[in-house]
Amino acid sequence: MSKDLPVDTPLNSLGLPKAPAETRVVVAMSGGVDSSVVAAMLAEEGYDVVGVTLQLYDHGAALAKKGACCAGQDIHDARRVAETMGFPHYVLDYENTFREAVIEEFADAYLAGATPVPCIRCNERVKFKDLLETAKDLEADCMATGHYIQRRIGPTGPELHCAADPNRDQSYFLFSTTPEQLAFLRFPLGHLASKAETRALAAKYGLPVADKPDSQDICFVPNGSYASVIEKLRPGAADPGEIVDLSGKVLGTHRGVIHYTIGQRRGLGIGGGEPLYVVKLDPGTRRVIVGPKEALATRIIPVREINWLGDEPLTARPEWHVSVKVRSTRPPREAIVRPLSATEAEVELLDPEEGVSPGQACVFYETGGTRILGGGWIWKGRTA
């Protein structure tokens, strides 16, 4: 039982009016250095830490790979960190949930000619939904993760802000975090200036993962080969078809639409003449449509499933002047968001962007600031 504290108890480092020893924190531990440092840091500060690792996918030979989170070795590493720092650690089997909520949609999106971002869906549908509910079942006061993003208290409640280190910022992958989730979540690494600081902390705490390499690619995709995973999940998905130009002229053949992405130039096998890029994928006719670079330029982007994090409702204004990211690796660029409903909008880029692809996220940022205002999913639109 927690002791009754005076009304004027100061807030602890997690922003809660309790002594650290009376504050239970569930830490989502992937087995990597980031979440391990979060757990160790909070344990050293005296919090009641409970480490939880999710077993997300089949660890058999078909999908075994190094450098991915939540595989067998990573579960072992997370357990060793918990033993080192002296807090309990649990492994939860979420394979079925992960397959249904993330992997199946990933396969279907690729087959529909989209370029999905399964890491966002995993945060949205597994880590920040089911795991967060599990944390509440464990009577936790909050849940902490190793994500590089900042949570700040604003005039109307918690706000989401970019990480201090722009090279590590993970805001693109966390735009779908809801205000209710944000009230319960904590991101203790978001203020660090560099990954070097995180590794220095890991060494300070004597963690066995201090020198562990960062995870790469998508956890269930071996060697970065999306196509091989799709073929395994959807036999026959890699049927060959035609490569055509914008007028419909056949330029060659391809080995399956799933092997191509919007904006791709290399590996088309149609050399000679001006450089050609993939500008559209048509799974229905099994066609890959190519064209010159200028054909990739997009100004108007239909966006749906919007999660809005602004202080006013999205529909409170006819237009929002913001900056947006349409890929995780690109800097934000100025845009106008015109709401169509509480969850749909048309986004106009002030300068056209190349390679905008259905299935990617369009994330909204405060222009000239660090706040994330939400975002949604790019789709083909009603007239496509």
Side-chain angles (χ1 to χ4, degrees):
M1 289 289 291
S2 63
K3 300 169 185 171
D4 290 330
L5 292 166
V7 176
D8 59 351
T9 300
L11 299 182
N12 60 34
S13 63
L14 295 175
L16 296 165
K18 288 184 171 186
E22 303 291 338
T23 306
R24 176 167 293 172
V25 187
V26 163
V27 180
M29 299 182 69
S30 68
V33 66
D34 298 325
S35 56
S36 297
V37 165
V38 166
M41 180 191 305
L42 295 175
E44 191 191 57
E45 287 182 37
Y47 287 97
D48 177 10
V49 172
V50 178
V52 176
T53 300
L54 303 183
Q55 181 171 314
L56 294 179
Y57 61 92
D58 178 10
H59 305 306
L63 296 179
K65 72 186 289 280
K66 291 183 178 178
C69 72
C70 309
Q73 180 62 43
D74 296 304
I75 290 172
H76 174 68
D77 288 343
R79 186 176 290 124
R80 287 171 65 209
V81 168
E83 288 171 356
T84 300
M85 298 302 298
F87 59 80
H89 174 256
Y90 301 97
V91 179
L92 305 181
D93 182 354
Y94 275 42
E95 284 194 21
N96 289 339
T97 301
F98 186 68
R99 184 174 62 250
E100 292 166 8
V102 180
I103 298 180
E104 296 292 336
E105 184 189 68
F106 171 84
D108 290 340
Y110 252 97
L111 292 183
T115 308
V117 192
C119 299
I120 297 176
R121 289 301 197 195
C122 182
N123 288 327
E124 175 187 314
R125 297 176 174 176
V126 182
K127 293 177 183 172
F128 290 177
K129 182 172 176 279
D130 294 348
L131 177 55
L132 195 142
E133 288 305 315
T134 298
K136 291 180 177 178
D137 291 342
L138 291 170
E139 299 184 340
D141 294 287
C142 62
M143 185 172 97
T145 79
H147 289 107
Y148 286 88
I149 196 164
Q150 298 188 76
R151 173 189 181 275
R152 298 179 184 169
I153 302 300
T156 63
E159 300 174 352
L160 210 53
H161 287 258
C162 295
D165 178 3
N167 295 318
R168 306 299 305 179
D169 178 61
Q170 291 176 288
S171 58
Y172 184 83
F173 300 98
L174 295 167
F175 79 85
S176 61
T177 307
T178 66
E180 294 75 26
Q181 292 166 344
L182 198 52
F184 194 71
L185 287 164
R186 300 294 187 275
F187 309 106
L189 302 184
H191 68 285
L192 298 183
S194 71
K195 181 63 177 261
E197 286 192 36
T198 307
R199 292 200 180 277
L201 286 169
K204 170 188 163 187
Y205 298 130
L207 302 185
V209 296
D211 297 318
K212 185 174 180 177
D214 289 343
S215 60
Q216 303 293 330
D217 300 322
I218 295 168
C219 66
F220 58 89
V221 179
N223 307 315
S225 176
Y226 297 1
S228 62
V229 172
I230 305 299
E231 288 181 75
K232 180 176 167 57
L233 293 167
R234 302 285 188 272
D239 291 342
E242 297 172 335
I243 298 176
V244 302
D245 66 14
L246 294 170
S247 67
K249 178 184 175 184
V250 177
L251 303 179
T253 58
H254 64 76
R255 53 198 179 91
V257 170
I258 61 171
H259 292 281
Y260 301 86
T261 56
I262 303 293
Q264 180 177 335
R265 177 184 171 189
R266 300 182 186 281
L268 300 180
I270 49 171
E274 67 172 330
L276 294 173
Y277 299 78
V278 176
V279 298
K280 188 179 178 185
L281 300 170
D282 189 342
T285 61
R286 298 206 306 273
R287 281 185 155 188
V288 172
I289 297 98
V290 298
K293 191 173 185 181
E294 53 266 27
L296 284 170
T298 301
R299 182 181 289 276
I300 303 295
I301 306 172
V303 178
R304 62 183 175 183
E305 290 183 66
I306 290 173
N307 178 57
W308 179 248
L309 295 172
D311 295 336
E312 302 174 73
L314 177 63
T315 52
R317 303 182 195 176
E319 292 185 349
W320 294 86
H321 290 254
V322 299
S323 294
V324 303
K325 267 191 184 187
V326 293
R327 282 188 187 273
S328 63
T329 54
R330 296 188 185 173
R333 55 178 58 207
E334 290 188 53
I336 300 169
V337 175
R338 297 187 177 94
L340 300 174
S341 71
T343 58
E344 285 189 273
E346 180 183 87
V347 176
E348 180 183 353
L349 302 175
L350 300 195
D351 293 307
E353 176 90 53
E354 294 172 354
V356 175
S357 175
Q360 295 280 305
C362 179
V363 181
F364 312 149
Y365 296 84
E366 173 188 39
T367 298
T370 61
R371 187 175 177 186
I372 296 103
L373 296 171
W377 295 93
I378 300 168
W379 64 303
K380 293 184 173 76
R382 293 184 175 85
T383 59

